Amino acid sequence: MLKTAGIFQSGMILQREKNVSVWGTADAGARISVSIQGKEAMTTAGEDGSWRAVLPPLSASEEESLCI
């Protein structure tokens, strides 16, 4: 089951102009894709189910949604 860490909530603010790390847990070996503002990062969950994806720097925006 795919889950993001509890820190990722609706309405949260991401740092602009810096790499953005997104992490959580999933089934071991699961492929995960994270995207926002047309930028995408892909990763694979480890044997323990943990995963982390790093998005490139983002510009300021009030209306974007993080898609996982």
Side-chain angles (χ1 to χ4, degrees), residues 7-14 66:
I7 191 172
F8 298 102
Q9 304 271 329
S10 178
M12 73 178 291
I13 297 171
L14 300 174
L66 181 65

Side-chain angles (χ1 to χ4, degrees), residues 13-47:
I13 297 171
L14 300 174
Q15 179 76 37
R16 69 178 177 181
E17 300 175 9
K18 300 277 185 180
N19 287 343
V20 176
S21 290
V22 180
W23 63 93
T25 58
D27 293 333
R31 301 272 303 145
I32 295 104
S33 172
V34 179
S35 64
I36 190 170
Q37 292 184 350
K39 298 179 181 184
E40 182 176 31
M42 297 179 74
T43 190
T44 303
E47 290 182 17

